[in-house]
Amino acid sequence: RSKLSEKLEDFQIRLKVVCGRQLTGSNIKPVVQVKMGKVKMKITKIRKGSSPVWNELLMYNFHESLKELYDYVVEFTVNNSRKLRSDSLIGSFKLDVGSIYDQPGKYLLKWLLLTDPDDASNSPKGYLKITVCVLGAGDQPPDESAAKDENEDDVEGNLLTPAGATLHSANFALSLFSAEDLPQSIIAFKSMKQKIGLGGDEDVSKTSVDAYLTFKFAGKKRVTEVIKETNEPVWNERLNLPLKFPSMCDSIKLTLKDWDRVGCDDPIGSVTIPLSHISSTGEAVKFVTKRLLNFHVICNIQFYSVFLFPGFLPTFGPSFVNFYGSPREFTQLGNSLDELNTGKASLDGEGCAYRGRAMMELLMRMDEEGAEPKPPSQPVNEEKIALVQKYMRRRQYRLVVGFESANLIRKPLERIEFEVSMGNYGNKFDCDVKLSASTTEPHNAVFDGVHYHYLAWTSKKPIMMVTSQWEDISFRLYALNLILRIIDELQDQITEVNLMVKQKEDEIEIASKIVTILDEVILNTGKKLPNPRGRTVSNQLDRRIHRQRVQMFEMISQEAKELRQNCTDAQEAIAALHDFIQRLELVSHEPQNSFPDVIIWMLSDNKRVAYTRIPAYDLLYSPERQDYCGRFCSKPCTLTLKYPTANTKSKKHYKVPAQLRIIAWLGRAKDQSNFEFHSKGDISVIQDTYETEIKLPFKGWTADGYTDITGEIPLPKSVFRCPTGWLWDGDWKINSDLASLYDTTLGHMHVVEDAFEFEMRDVGTAWQVRKVTNGKMETICDMGAIKVPSGWEWENEWTVDTKRACDEDGWEYATSDDQTVGELVWSTAEKVYHNSRKRRLVRSRVCVDHKAFKKAEKTAELLEEGWEYATTMGCEFHIDPKMLDLVRRRKWSRRMVTSDDRGSAAIFQLDKSISYMFTFFCVLESDKKANKKDRHYQKIPLPKIYVVYESVWQLHLRAYIYQGRDLIAMDGDSFSDPLVLVSFLNHTARTEVQKHTLNPIWDETMMLDIKFYGDIDHLKKYCPEVSVEVFDSDDLNSLQFMGRTSVKPIVKLDQENNQTPKLEWHDITKANYTTGNVLTAFEMILKNDKIEMPLPPPLKPGVNLPMVPFGIRPVLQRTAIEFLIWGVRTMKPFKLLSVNSPSVLIQIGAVELRTKIIKNLKKQPNFTEPLYYIEANLPVDDLYFPPIVIRVKDNRKFGSRPTVGQHIITKSIQYRIKPPVDQPQQDEGFEETKVSTDLAIEVEPPAKPGLKLQIREEELDWWSKFYASLGDGGNCRSYMESGLDLIKVYKDELEKQEEFNHFSDFIQTFQLFRGKVENEDDEPDFAGQFKGTFRIYTLPEDSREPSPPRYFQHLPPSDVVEVKVRIYVIRAFGLAPQDANGLSDPYIKIKAGKKRIVDRENYIPMTLEPTFGKMFELDLILPMEKDLYVEVFDWDLIGTDDKIGETVIDLENRYLSKFKAWCSLPETYCVTGPCPWRDQMKPKEWLDDKCCKEGWDEPVWNGNTCVMVDGKTYKLDDYEKDKKPCKHWGPADERLALYILRTFPHVSEHVETRPLLHDALPNIEQGRLQLWVDMFPKSFGDPGLPYNIEPRKPSKYFLRMIVWNCSEIPMMDVSVLGDKMSDIYFKGWISGLEHKQQKTDVHYRSLDGTGNFNWRFVFPFDYLPQERMVHVAKKDHLWSLDKTVTKFPPVLNIQVWDNDLFGPNEYISEIVLPITNMPKCCKFQRFCSLKNVPDMQGNCKMEMVNLFDQKMPLKGWWPLYRMVDCGREQAGKLEMSIEILTEQEEEEKRAGQGRDEPNMHPKLDKPNRPATSFAWFSSPFKSLRYIIWRKYKWIILGLLAFALFLTFFVMFIYSFP
């Protein structure tokens, strides 16, 4: 992750939600919500069912750094839109963008296992299929069709889950015990309350934070309780975070916050723990070089092994975790650095100060099934709290830091101090920790004379000492240091081997070196790692990491042994060594490093300015083994400080405030006796105090006691005590070091006075005197104002100092104004733009009056008293007393020396002296009853510790600065004025400014004589690097930073070292971005009598500057360069004026070539004389070959010739060729080849027997050819069997194909740029294009030898050409959606020059994959209209149309190429058919033209099937012997000519796929467009007819189906009278046209399953024969403007239903008949069974037919079936007739639906149904007759007779008397 780019870039994430499967719930309406990153959220449409299909593309655009984007989390949430929001979740899934980015192609096609995080049962909630890719600038979207394979529906095999098919419930338990060292963050708030009367009298200096901690993982968060008013909160709280494990998220974030009563809570500090550092998979994983995305591995953990590592769940601690952020001092509200506390604001993600630490433990436990979820927070049990106490045991540690030098200080700061701290220890502003000698003595920066400042530490170097208390975790850091040491050594050795391979040294020496490296690897990996077992603070994670490291060492050792025995290839061995490094880096992390980093701050006037952080383990000392020591322990190292900033775009990220060189040591107090810097200096300790006096009226100066430098802390001499082991070395002495700096001439007999003359001028005027200054830069009236003191005389007159870097008159020149005088860059040569100059005058004076000399000596003695004067103690002190001075002070010092043999370790005894002074100070403070606030910021001055070097070494540094290349443009004219600053220790040198170039050649040798105070052995072994910085000098001569690099010089400290420096290219960087290269070399030589100094380098002629000497500078040779400068194109206006008269300036090193001027760019953009030839001396080695700079200048009026564009070719090796040779002239005629005298003439294409194909002509078109070339058999059907031609379908642009190489065989296109690069994220502006090319080859050294022939010969004319261009736009896919519905309405717009074609009215609605099928034709003039823009726009009803993207085609390169990319060549010559010959001339004519251009004889034909071309015989049979003959072929001779043309370089018939780009997202594809372009020069005549590529349009067809009868239909109802029956009717439709389904009438009361209908169905449908698909066009919504076309296979669906009056109708059975592959009917009912239709395996006893091929209707019986548990069962038989009619046939044979008119073809009579077939509710009398009477008539008659009898009987009884 640390290697990820931090540059802000454009990214696009394309995510396609394809479909879902097995979503839980019934009758659901799922919708997918995708949240990407922080706030970007998009939602799909709502679908129905548990297996919905979305196919929706979502796009997310980001302008972020890759490092930031890597951690974004993608969250998929599937919800049921039918339910309430609180209960709508179906399932979710999360993964991070980094997991996608690390996939091959940055592309993912997977199924997601959805789970509910709150479901304790942990059951899957369904599956979601997605495709997602991450696109950066220049990335190509993946081909989704290529990614689909036969297993695309294999859900389990492509399931995206962390482990297996199910996730397990787990619980992250974070036990937080306590925190310490938290900063005080609300001082200002409470003090403000007191001021306004709302606060009490509490002590605001001790106001503390209200701390709590947030724990985040996988989008979930837990928060502890708030502990108020304390800097050391104790929580003893356990946070439980449930999750599904393994999770796709791989980092835990912890943030300490301060709770605020008002406003937002303030972050205190944050830390991120990678999950891969605290867990392991336990699986065998193959080694790779980037993070794995293996979804069967825990949390993307990386391991490089085929070795089985023991796995373990995430675990951490108990251990302290350090938090970092902004500085701890809070002196104002709204600190701009507070964002550092979140861990994201800074460019490198690190805080600049220690913010505290917390003791915690992290464990993961797998939950048991059915277990209750744990509470979010619960207290830690007492037993655990007691157990953690042992992890808090402290040990005393000593940190010693010695400062060797401080240089590269940018600004002249005052009172500069350097503070060393580790945690809170050493912080000079923190009174809560023990006092330490952690801050250097304040010094003012000294100017180095060129650009930077430094601190004047000469022979006395300060040493800082900090004592701290930490846990003993040395065993962890010892193992880490051992691994890091092995990695460093291995990297250095690999670098040496690579250099040997690059220099092509002897293979035996390389092999020997590799064997030596492998031996060291075996030795190092055999070393014993510290075992954590038995250590006090060791925990489970320590033991498991130790086990992994041991196994890794064993594995590497074994592989190194095998490699040593078996490896024979150097590159293979180097790759294996790199692999070893990558493996070791995987275990080179220590997640439980509780040691805070060592932070060194640079302070100025008690304000923090810059800092640097050093990991504590790099300084740690080990008494056990030297290998366990840190890499910088007791070794000099160079540190580059940086400014603290929270702004990621701040310029402070690349500015260097200062550079330090230190020696540091960190170790246990018990090991302090082993402390040693291994330096030859002596350690000295000095105690300081200041004697102060105040000036009282009438009394004068009165003693005021002894204080510290501030005058606030009383420090009498009696308070100082010598600690044990130390003695005073002498008495107290006045320290006059500072006083002596005020006047350096006292006590000298001869003094040189100097003065400066400044002159200025305006443009075109003479120099005029501006001012005269003395040596102190104080303005004087004239030279006479400098008076000689009394007793002194002038020795000579004022003379000009010409011994400096100046011209012969002593002048230095610059361009300046009043604001930049102090920052001027002075030049030795006068230029016309210089407006300021200066020169130095010197004059010597001598003391002639001995009395005056004695007086001066007395004055010097007074100064030796050391008094400094000021108005008050807070004012600046000076040496000369003044009237208003009321205080004065002088410094007393006393030195201590050691009294025993402890050596350097004796400095640790100084703690006792500090403790005594602190006690004394506290007593004084209590006597004065000072409040705590005064004591909070006051610290006792501590003894000053120094290392003193007695020896002074004279060093001589030579810097060879030869040239730079590919620098960034810093000026508005697209150039820079670069110069180089070389800094080493406290010295800086500067090159001359090279004007207006990005590839400067300085060719300078800079020599620095350096006095080195230090250990010469350290310098030899750990020589600091030379800082090389490149600056741009602007018009005002102020410097703008361009980049820097560091180079280690060759150190020559003895005469045996005769190594010659070698120039090497070094990348210069600016905030981690490469901004160019410089070619340099450095050597440092010790000046003494034993070492012979090298000769002075030669001087440059004319400027008297040392140049790079011979033997170091590149070797040159005589070289020829041929230029083909064809023209310039699309030049952008410059300064509001168009470019009309351009010329080209080409520079190669010091060689320049200027072309003639194009008179009118609009009429003729080509040069009339394109060929140029020059000879020059250029480097032999390609490494030193200068860049080729192409500048286009516009020749304007009044002599103005601005540069309007430029291009720099850094690598010219592609243009270097061997010298051309003369080709021997061949004799005329062909080689002797016998040509057959038998004439072979083909009259017509041969027909081979037995090869007749049944091919439907309507199914053959250009689209069939296209789909057959793609291998899409479903859309081309029988074309693949026809033997016709195929075309090439390229996946990229035609010019990007390897065989065409951008059609640069004749000329190349170079992009021209101009403009200033403001920052690293900017790119120069596009200015135009240059057309041309180059060839470079060597010449004989002797110019008298004949030169080789020229390379460029026989060029085509450069005149304009008129062409007819045909653009065939096929289709687009993967378009970026522009509408709110996630779709677009695309259409095509074409433009070239001022010509436009807009096809807006033919937009294709609502699609991202439109099929255009359009041919557009334009008449263009080349080269003026060479750029063809094909744009895709989105049609909008309201507002302007949105551009989706565009592609640009350079027609000129295609026209000039030898591949003849005008019109592509087909495979065969056809004159008829879908793809006839379309070129202007026939193949024979083109063959003749080819022979003419190549200088060959005309082709010799033998009949029409054999020809001789260029001495070779070609026969037609050789090309067509394996081909099927085709009736569309043309004549044999034309076919043979075409075959011959295809043997030459050509472009075959093709379709190219071009990316669509948009200016808003440069280099990120917005889709792809398939097309091809034909060009026809009008000089060759008219072209043939264009191809018809219109999209296939479906034809109107009618399916007529007559339902005659049915039988054996199952009975579905029971009548009132108990009879089984059914009310049968039939329903039919064609798939996709369900809304147009038709029904028969009802056959009521079928008692035996038979039915009679005589009913006609007529189904109109749109059918495409080539695709064999039914096209259904309908609107998606009522408000939709356009219809959407959906394709379905032609399937006839027939169902039998039972009609019910009350309740829903009942389904009975059905039959599904694919129209293009349906079974024949059965003529007889009794033979009709399920075997007559295909089963699940496709078995069928009936013949399968295509209904479209049937001339007569099919009439017969088909079985009906229904699905049951065991499969299908027969449920009836259907007699019907079915036929397909075209639209014309339908017009001729009209027929109505059912039995409606026209009832014809055939005429349908009413069915002869039984009398019982009727609806009872519509005919009650029929119901009585046929239902009741027929069955119950005898019962009815009996009842009637009985009723009649009963009536008569009653009447008889009634009438009986």
Side-chain angles (χ1 to χ4, degrees), residues 287-288 303-306 483 487 552 555-557 559 576-588:
F287 287 105
V288 292
F303 289 108
Y304 280 76
S305 175
V306 292
I483 297 173
I487 292 175
M552 180 70 77
M555 182 183 57
I556 293 177
S557 177
E559 293 185 12
L577 293 173
H578 278 294
D579 187 56
F580 291 162
I581 292 178
Q582 293 168 357
R583 300 185 194 187
L584 291 171
E585 286 176 346
L586 287 176
V587 294
S588 64

Side-chain angles (χ1 to χ4, degrees), residues 662-718:
I662 67 168
I663 307 179
W665 185 91
L666 172 65
R668 286 277 302 274
K670 70 175 185 178
D671 301 325
Q672 65 187 24
S673 59
N674 298 327
F675 163 68
E676 183 61 58
F677 275 162
H678 305 290
S679 174
K680 295 181 179 179
D682 298 327
I683 293 182
S684 175
V685 178
I686 299 176
Q687 294 280 14
D688 295 329
T689 185
Y690 283 84
E691 179 186 1
T692 59
E693 293 184 355
I694 59 175
K695 189 176 184 181
L696 298 177
F698 309 110
K699 290 187 178 181
W701 294 106
T702 305
D704 193 36
Y706 291 85
T707 66
D708 69 329
I709 191 172
T710 64
E712 298 178 357
I713 304 176
L715 287 179
K717 296 179 181 179
S718 59

Side-chain angles (χ1 to χ4, degrees), residues 1537-1561:
L1538 177 59
Y1539 294 140
I1540 298 172
L1541 288 173
R1542 289 178 61 85
T1543 62
F1544 304 132
H1546 71 284
V1547 175
S1548 299
E1549 191 174 9
H1550 67 277
V1551 170
E1552 55 179 311
T1553 306
R1554 304 188 66 87
L1556 297 172
L1557 303 176
H1558 197 285
D1559 295 338
L1561 293 170

